[in-house]
């Protein structure tokens, strides 16, 4: 199975996937840690793929999405964005709306707390 | 090759001649860029930022991925 097949398979089989440096419990980069932190805090179930563990995936994901940086968030097979976009969407409430429209469960109070903290 | 804010701005300027561009970052590693351009109107953030990244591709994604350390915000003018 090529890296691209693996990526396509992972993105198809999991509602929420975060390609990141490190793991959701042990992120190894500030940007990856921020996105994983938001998802963890909001109680979102997601598959974490550690691109540091596989250089082919690390490059493959950038080609797959035509996006040059890590982390990369996918919801229901769709590329949502990197750290900047996910941060902006969290603060604007667009991430809540996306999860609601895609039937992804999350903790609304936690999302509100993040916005209040960054008010 | 260390890159600086002015170089990033000129790289983006080449692809977005009429844009309002501001780039901060003086540690040679971490940068923040805001690009405001009419061409972004109607595009979602991913499309907008892909356009900016492609203006920087090959010039900024060095071995240690300078591009990675660019915090990017884009929007159409109000």
């Amino acid at each position: 199975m090529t890296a691209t097949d693996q990526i396509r398979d992972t993105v198809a089989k999991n509602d929420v996937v975060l390609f990141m440096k490190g793991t959701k419990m042990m992120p190894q980069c500030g940007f990856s840690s921020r996105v994983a932190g938001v998802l963890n805090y909001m109680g979102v179930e997601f598959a974490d793929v550690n691109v540091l563990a596989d250089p082919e995936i690390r490059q493959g994901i950038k080609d797959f999405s035509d996006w040059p940086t890590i982390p990369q968030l996918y919801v229901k097979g769709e590329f949502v964005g990197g750290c900047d976009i996910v941060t902006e969407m969290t603060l604007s409430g667009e991430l809540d709306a996306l999860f609601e429209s895609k039937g992804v469960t999350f903790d609304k109070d936690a999302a509100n707390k993040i916005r209040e903290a960054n008010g | 090759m260390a890159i600086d804010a002015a170089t990033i701005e000129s790289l983006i300027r080449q692809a977005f001649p009429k844009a309002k561009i501001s780039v901060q970052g003086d540690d040679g590693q971490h940068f923040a860029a805001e690009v405001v351009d009419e061409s972004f109107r109607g595009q979602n953030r991913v499309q907008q930022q892909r356009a900016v990244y492609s203006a920087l591709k090959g010039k900024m994604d060095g071995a240690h991925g300078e591009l990675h350390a660019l915090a990017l915000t884009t929007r159409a003018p109000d």
Side-chain angles (χ1 to χ4, degrees), chain A residues 27-116:
Chain A
Q28 289 172 279
C29 146
F31 298 113
S32 291
S33 158
R34 181 188 294 180
V35 178
V38 164
L39 296 175
N40 287 332
Y41 188 75
M42 284 171 68
V44 173
E45 272 251 345
F46 69 100
D48 53 343
V49 178
N50 181 3
V51 301
L52 297 179
D54 183 338
E56 271 183 33
I57 297 282
R58 182 173 186 173
Q59 185 50 48
I61 191 63
K62 293 178 183 175
D63 302 334
F64 182 79
S65 58
D66 183 22
W67 187 266
T69 62
I70 302 290
Q72 294 187 18
L73 180 64
Y74 289 75
V75 174
K76 293 282 176 115
E78 253 174 75
F79 174 58
V80 176
C83 183
D84 299 327
I85 288 176
V86 173
T87 303
E88 272 181 67
M89 289 177 71
T90 305
L91 296 178
S92 69
E94 284 165 276
L95 195 61
D96 299 30
L98 176 69
F99 283 152
E100 275 151 11
S101 68
K102 302 277 182 181
V104 172
T105 49
F106 67 98
D107 177 342
K108 185 77 179 171
D109 295 335
N112 290 329
K113 279 207 187 89
I114 294 174
R115 282 184 280 278
E116 278 151 32

Side-chain angles (χ1 to χ4, degrees), chain B residues 45-64:
Chain B
R45 285 193 189 88
V46 169
Q47 291 159 327
Q48 293 175 13
Q49 295 193 12
R50 256 199 199 115
V52 177
Y53 278 132
S54 55
L56 296 168
K57 222 172 207 164
K59 304 182 184 73
M60 235 193 118
D61 48 2
H64 26 78

Side-chain angles (χ1 to χ4, degrees), chain B residues 1-67:
Chain B
M1 137 227 158
I3 196 157
D4 60 21
T7 311
I8 295 171
E9 187 173 330
S10 70
L11 289 172
I12 298 175
R13 175 79 55 209
Q14 283 162 28
F16 300 92
K18 295 202 218 66
K20 187 170 135 303
I21 304 167
S22 73
V23 182
Q24 287 92 28
D26 42 27
D27 68 358
Q29 254 283 313
H30 300 86
F31 298 91
E34 185 185 40
V35 185
V36 182
D37 192 47
E38 193 48 46
S39 66
F40 293 151
R41 196 166 307 281
Q43 288 187 326
N44 67 32
R45 285 193 189 88
V46 169
Q47 291 159 327
Q48 293 175 13
Q49 295 193 12
R50 256 199 199 115
V52 177
Y53 278 132
S54 55
L56 296 168
K57 222 172 207 164
K59 304 182 184 73
M60 235 193 118
D61 48 2
H64 26 78
E66 294 89 345
L67 208 53

